[in-house]
Amino acid sequence: MNIRPFDYSDADYELYVRLSNAVYPDQPRTLEALRHFDATKGPGEIAQTFFIEQAGQAVGWFAFMTPRFNPLSGQLEVEWGLLPGHEPLSEALWGALERELARHRPGALVTRVREDWPQAAFYMARGFEVYDRMWPSTLDLGRFDPAPFQRPLPESIRIGTLADLDYHSEAVQRRYYALVTALLRDVPSAQPVELWPFELWQERSMKDKNLIPEANFIAFEGEAMVGVSQLWRSPRPQTLQTGLTGVLPSHRRRGIALALKLRALEYARQQGYRYVRTNNHQVNRPMLALNEALGFEKGPAQLHLKKSLFVKEEL
């Protein structure tokens, strides 16, 4: 077994995507998304990838990085994969990963893995524990009837989109950022959410090629933004991915979140998409209940795993 670092060449990007999609076909990656990820690393963030080769051919990889969606201090996120038939290399791969990680002295390792994948048992056998679950759910728009859910909005509320605004301007982006971060702070989850600074959010979100301004639906009261439901492009065929959906506490229980979701689903159908996917923390019962009522069907849960490490200080 030979280990070599990812060299950021076109060939290595293509190799990484090809391996990842072969091992995890239900979580497809694209070259564009991977390049965007590397181009938007924050100050001091870590991201390293290594290929596993056998007989001169890449048969797997491992990687570790500062967690992108919740970059808590001292934590590194890990991932790995091996092509079918090369599972006996798992122990050697993990040993190599631990040696590379040791140079960074992390306080904890985190990872995300589907509950029905063999990697879940592999991680747990090495001291990882479940600290959160997320439920991926899919709505088949061909079988969805919105009529039973239609309700009149409060007279003071209107729904528009990010595309209706001068969303390239910093002033609009800062208003939108204020709404998004206020809602993210309030999303029920097992760990406190660490928010991206505005400039990093600009690079990662507003310049993401998967952003669809026309599918970022915003609830307004006057000029104030009070709620949002986002749809993003997805590498899955005929599918849009739900991003953040939420309403400020001051405007809840007025049917606004439901109206935003319905507007987003109608957009997806009008654009010819067949499916809309979403992900919800298991503790986020209000949004889980709303999605279940709309007809979203759950898939196997994604486990969020964590292993605490004890780093001895040098004397």
Side-chain angles (χ1 to χ4, degrees), residues 177-217:
Y177 174 78
L179 173 66
V180 167
T181 52
L183 295 173
L184 285 174
R185 288 189 189 97
D186 210 26
V187 171
S189 62
Q191 285 195 148
V193 175
E194 186 74 18
L195 300 172
W196 298 336
F198 171 72
E199 291 76 12
L200 195 54
W201 173 85
Q202 272 186 310
E203 292 295 318
R204 289 177 174 173
S205 296
M206 300 305 291
K207 295 182 181 180
D208 190 334
K209 297 296 185 183
N210 292 319
L211 172 70
I212 312 173
E214 297 81 5
N216 275 233
F217 294 91

Side-chain angles (χ1 to χ4, degrees), residues 153-154 156-168 171-180 183 201 206 211-232 244-248 251 255-264 267:
L153 270 173
S156 62
I157 302 297
R158 63 180 175 88
I159 293 178
T161 72
L162 189 60
D164 298 333
L165 308 172
D166 182 15
Y167 66 91
H168 293 296
V172 168
Q173 290 183 7
R174 284 192 178 275
R175 288 175 59 206
Y176 195 42
Y177 174 78
L179 173 66
V180 167
L183 295 173
W201 173 85
M206 300 305 291
L211 172 70
I212 312 173
E214 297 81 5
N216 275 233
F217 294 91
I218 304 171
F220 293 88
E221 186 168 54
E223 295 302 313
M225 300 179 183
V226 300
V228 69
S229 189
Q230 303 168 330
L231 292 176
W232 297 77
L244 176 65
T245 295
V247 176
L248 294 177
H251 289 72
I256 298 173
L258 175 60
L260 286 164
K261 291 280 289 188
L262 292 176
R263 186 69 66 88
Y267 170 89

